[in-house]
């Protein structure tokens, strides 16, 4: 997935704008699932294995594993081996901030909080 840094334009127009928007839509679509968003929120607090992530989300272990595979294939999470355990982490800090902001918007809507910058 292409980043938003370097020579890429910031706006939606221009030569690279369409691809950039397409990738952003793909990322948001992957996050538009309660279990995957919960996994990303938990990983935003630090690395975790499948057992920890299963407990954090309350989802079935097989479901968590399938969701993690999708997130890994999309490059949103990375893995490393720790003995026989596979430990998951966010692919980069932008994802933690994206998830945090989505949850902040939810907090505002739930708590009828006023908008702010």
């Amino acid at each position: 997935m292409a980043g938003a840094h370097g020579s890429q334009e910031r706006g939606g127009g221009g030569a690279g704008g369409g691809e950039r928007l397409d990738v952003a839509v793909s990322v948001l679509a992957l996050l538009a699932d309660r279990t995957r968003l919960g996994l990303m929120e938990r990983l935003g607090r630090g690395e975790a294995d499948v057992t920890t992530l299963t407990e954090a989300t309350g989802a079935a272990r097989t479901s968590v594993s399938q969701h993690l595979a999708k997130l890994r294939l999309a490059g949103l999470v990375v893995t490393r081996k720790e003995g026989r355990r596979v430990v998951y982490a966010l692919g980069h800090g932008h994802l933690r901030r994206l998830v945090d902001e989505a949850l902040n918007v939810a907090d505002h809507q739930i708590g009828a909080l006023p908008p702010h910058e």
Side-chain angles (χ1 to χ4, degrees), residues 4-66:
H5 300 291
S7 63
Q8 289 188 347
E9 293 183 20
R10 283 282 186 196
E19 179 183 6
R20 189 167 178 240
L21 288 174
D22 289 345
V23 171
V25 166
S26 296
V27 169
L28 293 172
L30 276 168
L31 297 180
D33 176 275
R34 189 180 201 285
T35 300
R36 286 194 292 269
L37 188 61
L39 291 169
M40 297 295 284
E41 188 274 332
R42 172 55 189 83
L43 290 172
R45 291 183 270 134
E47 295 180 327
D49 62 8
V50 174
T51 300
T52 302
L53 294 168
T54 298
E55 292 169 0
T57 60
R61 186 180 182 93
T62 54
S63 175
V64 168
S65 293
Q66 290 171 356

Side-chain angles (χ1 to χ4, degrees), residues 56-94:
T57 60
R61 186 180 182 93
T62 54
S63 175
V64 168
S65 293
Q66 290 171 356
H67 285 297
L68 286 169
K70 287 180 183 181
L71 294 169
R72 187 178 52 77
L73 286 172
L76 301 185
V77 299
V78 294
T79 61
R80 67 177 178 82
K81 286 278 200 168
E82 193 174 86
R84 291 185 352 179
R85 281 184 345 144
V86 177
V87 179
Y88 292 84
L90 293 182
H92 50 78
H94 291 294

